Amino acid sequence: MGNAFRRQPGPSLYDIDNRTPVSKDFLEVGIPTAFGLIAFSFLLIIPGIRGWKRIRFTIKTFSTLWLGTVILMCNFGYGWYTDTIVSQVRYKPYQKGEVQVEIGLHIGLRGLNITLQGIPEFQMGEQINYNEKFRWNDPWSQGRHGFGPYAGKFNQDFRAAQYRGTPYPIQWLAGYFTTDGEQIRFGRKFRLAGWYTHILMWLGFALYLIAIITSQFSVCYAAVSLLWLSIILIMASFCYGVIIINDPPLNIPVPSGRITPRFGWSWHLTCSTGIVTFIISVVVLVMHRLNSKGLALLRDGRSNAEEYPVPELYKSENEGISRAEERRSEIDKPDGLGDAMSFEIVIVDNKYSMQ
């Protein structure tokens, strides 16, 4: 029984049809799923809110969740610099024949992801659907030259992939990021860009939390926090785009063309979100400057007078105090003796009769 389902001398291997490749990154799926569950829970309570508050609550809640999703997704996503191409390539070293595949290069802040999918998926007697990740963080240091224990994280992952027998196209693309000399410093450039950009993204997430807290008691403070958040997001996009500049640019040849990565969805989403947030925060600050009461009414759905009505008892007392001040001003007149007596009567009336 110990040799059941086992192909000697390898480990137990069950039905080959049950094996599925990793097609999505865990965080790229988990982050929007978590925020989506929170959004769904808010959808359940929206019907219980009446009037203007329902619209205000919906806009505020979903815009806040969208902003948090964008920040975390772009921070951990592998869509900052991407390109895909369909080519006829050699599948593995020392193996005759070529296969038609779609090769994808997806670069993020913490590493890169190389996908290889066969067209069709089953060729040469096996399933061609790979998703290999190579990281340069943890630690973020460049490390020594080579592939030894003191080399960088990326070079060590590359050597481990070679020992695993990773397909040849994946090794070909990843090898361009292991060289660090002369003008071929692609790995160093993208590692530094990821290091500085991910710091700015975490700073933006902290400002995002501050904006949520301050929005509960001050629209002006929340708008200022969003303004700084938008500046940080724009700076992150600019910082990444400047640091990765290399001469010559990243251009990887393959048998039927070249892989020339361009800015992907993570970069565009970060930049566009920063610009839109900047415009909204500036508009809110201008509205607060011109008409703060109207902005408070837009935020709370009612004015301060409606939210905190003054009781009738205090209204009568205030009216009595104002009348007393008028009487006090008449005391200073030369013929104000009678007025002084009437002033005392008014004070007594207001004190005891609460008129």
Side-chain angles (χ1 to χ4, degrees), residues 12-317:
S12 297
L13 181 62
Y14 299 96
D15 189 3
I16 191 171
D17 294 333
N18 292 330
R19 295 185 299 170
T20 56
V22 178
S23 57
K24 298 294 182 182
D25 185 75
F26 174 76
L27 292 177
E28 288 184 0
V29 177
I31 291 174
T33 301
F35 279 92
L37 291 175
I38 298 175
F40 178 75
S41 63
F42 278 107
L43 281 175
L44 298 178
I45 65 176
I46 285 177
I49 304 175
R50 299 179 179 179
W52 166 253
K53 284 187 175 181
R54 177 183 299 176
I55 301 176
R56 179 181 58 85
F57 178 81
T58 303
I59 296 175
K60 180 179 178 181
T61 301
F62 285 95
S63 60
T64 302
L65 292 175
W66 166 256
L67 189 57
T69 305
V70 168
I71 295 174
L72 292 180
M73 276 282 292
C74 295
N75 192 358
F76 292 97
Y78 285 81
W80 285 83
Y81 216 57
T82 64
D83 190 25
T84 58
I85 190 174
V86 177
S87 178
Q88 195 86 11
V89 297
R90 293 175 55 191
Y91 179 48
K92 290 184 178 181
Y94 310 107
Q95 187 176 17
K96 295 181 180 181
E98 295 182 345
V99 293
Q100 186 177 10
V101 294
E102 182 185 57
I103 309 171
L105 177 62
H106 311 279
I107 303 176
L109 301 182
R110 294 165 175 79
L112 59 87
N113 197 22
I114 302 176
T115 59
L116 183 71
Q117 185 172 7
I119 305 174
E121 187 171 341
F122 288 91
Q123 300 182 52
M124 303 186 71
E126 61 178 286
Q127 182 183 15
I128 303 177
N129 195 338
Y130 290 84
N131 191 331
E132 294 290 332
K133 182 184 296 184
F134 301 89
R135 306 176 68 93
W136 47 61
N137 69 324
D138 194 25
W140 286 85
S141 60
Q142 180 67 27
R144 298 181 183 178
H145 290 284
F147 306 93
Y150 299 103
K153 174 66 175 175
F154 188 92
N155 287 25
Q156 295 182 17
D157 289 349
F158 177 76
R159 179 50 58 89
Q162 288 181 322
Y163 278 112
R164 290 197 307 268
T166 305
Y168 182 73
I170 297 178
Q171 297 184 31
W172 174 255
L173 267 64
Y176 273 77
F177 298 87
T178 59
T179 305
D180 188 63
E182 300 297 334
Q183 296 295 325
I184 310 300
R185 297 180 181 271
F186 301 119
R188 179 185 293 268
K189 293 281 187 178
F190 283 100
R191 180 183 58 83
L192 291 176
W195 164 254
Y196 291 109
T197 306
H198 102 283
I199 292 177
L200 292 174
M201 296 298 290
W202 279 123
L203 178 59
F205 186 73
L207 292 172
Y208 162 75
L209 296 179
I210 294 175
I212 294 177
I213 297 173
T214 55
S215 65
Q216 303 302 320
F217 55 85
S218 176
V219 177
C220 182
Y221 292 162
V224 172
S225 301
L226 287 178
L227 180 62
W228 280 108
L229 170 60
S230 63
I231 294 174
I232 292 299
L233 294 180
I234 296 174
M235 286 179 57
S237 302
F238 178 79
C239 176
Y240 188 85
V242 170
I243 295 178
I244 65 174
I245 295 177
N246 191 83
D247 189 19
L250 181 59
N251 194 343
I252 304 176
V254 293
S256 60
R258 292 178 178 272
I259 294 180
T260 56
R262 297 290 184 267
F263 291 114
W265 62 267
S266 295
W267 188 90
H268 288 98
L269 190 58
T270 301
C271 186
S272 59
T273 303
I275 295 174
V276 173
T277 307
F278 179 83
I279 296 174
I280 294 176
S281 58
V282 169
V283 170
V284 171
L285 289 175
V286 172
M287 291 177 60
H288 182 269
R289 182 70 175 179
L290 297 179
N291 189 4
S292 60
K293 294 183 179 180
L295 187 61
L297 183 63
L298 181 65
R299 182 196 67 179
D300 299 329
R302 54 181 176 175
S303 61
N304 293 333
E306 295 175 347
E307 186 172 3
Y308 304 105
V310 180
E312 295 295 332
L313 176 63
Y314 294 107
K315 287 184 179 180
S316 60
E317 287 184 355

